[in-house]
Amino acid sequence: MAMPDSHRMAADHDEEIRYRAVQEQRHLPLQQSRSILFAALGDESWRVRKQAVEVVLAARPDQDDIHQLIDLLRDEENAGLRNATAELLVRCGVRVVPILLGYLDDADHDLRKLVVDALGALGGAEALAGLTRALSDPDSNVAAAAAEGLGVAGNAESVPELLRHLERNQESFFRFNALAALGRIGVAGPLPAVVKQLAGQELLRRAVFECLGKIGSDSDAVALLLEGVLSHLPSVRQAAVSSLVQVLQRLDAAGQSEAKARLQLLADQGLVEQLIASFTPGNQAVNEAVVAILGILADPRGLEVLFCALADERLTAAAESALRQLGLAAVRAANTRFAATESIDERAALCRFLGNSGAPEGADVIRCALADAAARVRSAAVYASAKLSDPELPAQVAELLNDEDALVREAALAALLRYADIDRHVIGTAAKQLASAPDPEQRRGAALLFAAVHDGEQLARLLKDENASVRESAARAAGKLRPAEGCSHLMMALVDEEPDVRIAAAEALGDCRDDAAIAPLRLSLHDSDAWVQAAALRSLVQLAGEAALPDLLQLWEQGDEVVQLACLEAFEQIGSVMALQAVSRDLGRHDGEVLKGAIELLHRYDLSLLLPWFNHIICHQDWDVRITAVRASSALPAEDRMTLLQMALDREDNDLVRAEIRSQLGAD
């Protein structure tokens, strides 16, 4: 009898043919295709195995199929078969759990291990009960897998059983997994006696300390971890250091005070040296813990490590916090360190620390760093200088406005803006130098500095600059001046040839709070550029309030989309009934964002003005408008709303809108 085509293809040496043979089984009942598919689960090609998993899964295997699949796990030679079958069983879902539980007493310990792994991946109450039962399995690997599964499940009810078996089961592998599971579940409490006992076993000490980091919360845990911090084994010591900080965070104030006192007692017994030895590049969790404990100790011997941590952006905040505990000693040490280190990162970090400390003793180093060869250091020094009250620094920072590095120039400008109230003369002089520079970027900086020292006359000159971006910056800066200093110049900028300058001037006039700007802003409502009109409109409302309503109503009638959106914002700000009526009256002639905004406005403030339009907007050609209408319908009476939404759902063809309608109907 000839072999069927599909069988021949499955046995073919060509991977692609075998792959297609598996695909062909999708259209057949599993009882008919089972032999091919189950064989394909052990194929040498991962593509074929993966496809076999998908096809079997789609066929919804019954109980008999599940039993046969579980039997495939007995194959000791084919790891691919076991892995594919295990994946398939897990993806079948919790319906396979009762069947898997029946194999927990199977004579094959390797099969039991795979069944336990599957139960751990599936989860749920039944699987959890099976895993708890498997803790007593005579095979250590099975019991260890059960402990791991309970840890993944994270159920606090598993803790007593894990502790009980941790005490009874002498196998180290099981105890490793049980300790890890306890840590993963993370139920904090008094130190369990068995955990303390296991800390005496050299092989398990690291696992015990890692576990304590998740569950320790008392002085006994602290005492045990302090022993570990003094260990001669780096891995044990690092685990203890990391966990100690976690436990300290769980203690109450009295417990923390007691723990800190213990730490201080150990400082001269090798603790500081062990902490320094535990600080290793790349070990983020341990390094954070080392820095935190060194901060508690406030011991100068830890300064070198803290300075190294300072240069690591992941540890900077923790290192600065620790250094602050050392007070002026840390500042003086930082000054010495700056002169000694060749690391650019470290010099920049030291500048930031000295600036954040605010200590006058750091000013000499900052003055030196402002002339550093590295731009990154100069930039950090500039930012630091703004935090120190040293009268000599502003002039030196001003010199860096011409630095070759853009970031340094940017930092210098930001720092000088902060110095405005300290040394107006230096700032004004620097601004004048920038104002005559050929680079527009520097002239834009001059505008900011002139505003900082309230020099409206100099800003007025920049409002006439040949470069439009400079004029725009000057206009925005003038808005920060008092009315008498800047508003008159801004009114002239409203007729600038560049729209961006006119926009900046219109926006700045709103900030000036000068009623004299109302008339020129009204003129700008007729600007040829819609964005200028919108900016003028917003500022006019800021200054004139409800008195601007006639202008708004006219723009609502005549303006384009940009202006009308600004009108809607203004209507909401003013809260005028007349404005709401105008919006309702014109609802039928608007589209897009304007229509959406109008619907939302009326929905919030006067639903009665929106009611006549519901049949129109819920059938609008724009699906986004229809969604907005559906959401606005939430304010309608329940019966009317249900009728309207059901009718809309019957004719709606957009999936997003249909989903929104169903959501609203479901809310009822």
Side-chain angles (χ1 to χ4, degrees), residues 49 68-69 94 115 166 177 268 361 408 549 552:
R49 296 197 302 271
Q68 292 195 41
L69 285 169
V94 294
V115 166
L166 189 61
N177 278 26
D268 292 325
E361 288 81 359
V408 176
L549 186 57
L552 292 175

Short mmCIF file of all heavy atoms in Angstrom, two decimals, residues 49 68-69 94 115 166 177 268 361 408 549 552:
data_model
loop_
_atom_site.label_atom_id
_atom_site.label_comp_id
_atom_site.label_asym_id
_atom_site.label_seq_id
_atom_site.Cartn_x
_atom_site.Cartn_y
_atom_site.Cartn_z
N ARG A 49 8.65 22.56 14.00
CA ARG A 49 8.09 22.34 15.34
C ARG A 49 7.11 23.45 15.72
O ARG A 49 6.03 23.19 16.24
CB ARG A 49 9.22 22.27 16.39
CG ARG A 49 10.17 21.10 16.22
CD ARG A 49 10.98 20.85 17.47
NE ARG A 49 11.78 22.00 17.88
CZ ARG A 49 13.01 22.25 17.47
NH1 ARG A 49 13.59 21.44 16.59
NH2 ARG A 49 13.67 23.30 17.92
N GLN A 68 -1.90 11.94 25.26
CA GLN A 68 -0.87 11.51 24.32
C GLN A 68 0.27 12.53 24.25
O GLN A 68 1.44 12.16 24.12
CB GLN A 68 -1.47 11.28 22.94
CG GLN A 68 -2.42 10.08 22.88
CD GLN A 68 -2.72 9.67 21.45
OE1 GLN A 68 -1.83 9.65 20.61
NE2 GLN A 68 -3.98 9.33 21.19
N LEU A 69 -0.10 13.80 24.33
CA LEU A 69 0.94 14.84 24.33
C LEU A 69 1.83 14.71 25.57
O LEU A 69 3.06 14.84 25.49
CB LEU A 69 0.30 16.24 24.29
CG LEU A 69 -0.28 16.67 22.94
CD1 LEU A 69 -1.13 17.93 23.10
CD2 LEU A 69 0.85 16.92 21.93
N VAL A 94 -5.66 26.62 31.20
CA VAL A 94 -5.93 25.97 32.49
C VAL A 94 -6.78 24.70 32.36
O VAL A 94 -6.84 23.91 33.30
CB VAL A 94 -6.62 26.96 33.46
CG1 VAL A 94 -5.68 28.09 33.81
CG2 VAL A 94 -7.91 27.51 32.86
N VAL A 115 5.98 18.25 34.10
CA VAL A 115 4.59 18.54 34.48
C VAL A 115 4.55 19.69 35.49
O VAL A 115 3.73 20.61 35.39
CB VAL A 115 3.91 17.28 35.06
CG1 VAL A 115 2.61 17.64 35.76
CG2 VAL A 115 3.64 16.27 33.94
N LEU A 166 11.64 23.83 53.46
CA LEU A 166 13.01 24.33 53.51
C LEU A 166 13.74 23.71 54.70
O LEU A 166 14.95 23.42 54.64
CB LEU A 166 12.98 25.86 53.64
CG LEU A 166 14.31 26.61 53.51
CD1 LEU A 166 14.94 26.37 52.16
CD2 LEU A 166 14.08 28.10 53.72
N ASN A 177 16.31 27.07 45.45
CA ASN A 177 15.06 27.46 44.80
C ASN A 177 14.01 27.93 45.80
O ASN A 177 13.25 28.87 45.53
CB ASN A 177 14.51 26.28 43.99
CG ASN A 177 15.17 26.16 42.63
OD1 ASN A 177 16.30 26.59 42.46
ND2 ASN A 177 14.48 25.58 41.66
N ASP A 268 35.20 50.66 62.17
CA ASP A 268 36.63 50.46 62.39
C ASP A 268 37.01 48.99 62.50
O ASP A 268 38.14 48.66 62.90
CB ASP A 268 37.07 51.21 63.65
CG ASP A 268 37.00 52.71 63.47
OD1 ASP A 268 37.26 53.18 62.35
OD2 ASP A 268 36.65 53.41 64.43
N GLU A 361 33.38 77.70 49.69
CA GLU A 361 34.70 77.06 49.55
C GLU A 361 34.89 76.40 48.18
O GLU A 361 36.02 76.07 47.81
CB GLU A 361 34.90 76.01 50.65
CG GLU A 361 35.12 76.58 52.04
CD GLU A 361 33.82 77.00 52.72
OE1 GLU A 361 32.75 76.85 52.09
OE2 GLU A 361 33.87 77.46 53.86
N VAL A 408 28.32 75.35 25.96
CA VAL A 408 28.90 76.25 26.96
C VAL A 408 28.27 77.63 26.83
O VAL A 408 27.93 78.28 27.84
CB VAL A 408 30.43 76.32 26.81
CG1 VAL A 408 31.02 77.34 27.79
CG2 VAL A 408 31.05 74.96 27.05
N LEU A 549 -15.82 90.82 23.33
CA LEU A 549 -16.81 89.91 22.74
C LEU A 549 -17.25 90.33 21.34
O LEU A 549 -17.34 89.48 20.45
CB LEU A 549 -18.00 89.77 23.67
CG LEU A 549 -19.05 88.75 23.25
CD1 LEU A 549 -18.43 87.36 23.09
CD2 LEU A 549 -20.19 88.69 24.27
N LEU A 552 -14.74 89.20 18.93
CA LEU A 552 -14.72 87.75 18.83
C LEU A 552 -15.86 87.24 17.95
O LEU A 552 -15.67 86.35 17.11
CB LEU A 552 -14.84 87.12 20.22
CG LEU A 552 -13.66 87.31 21.17
CD1 LEU A 552 -13.98 86.73 22.54
CD2 LEU A 552 -12.43 86.64 20.61
#
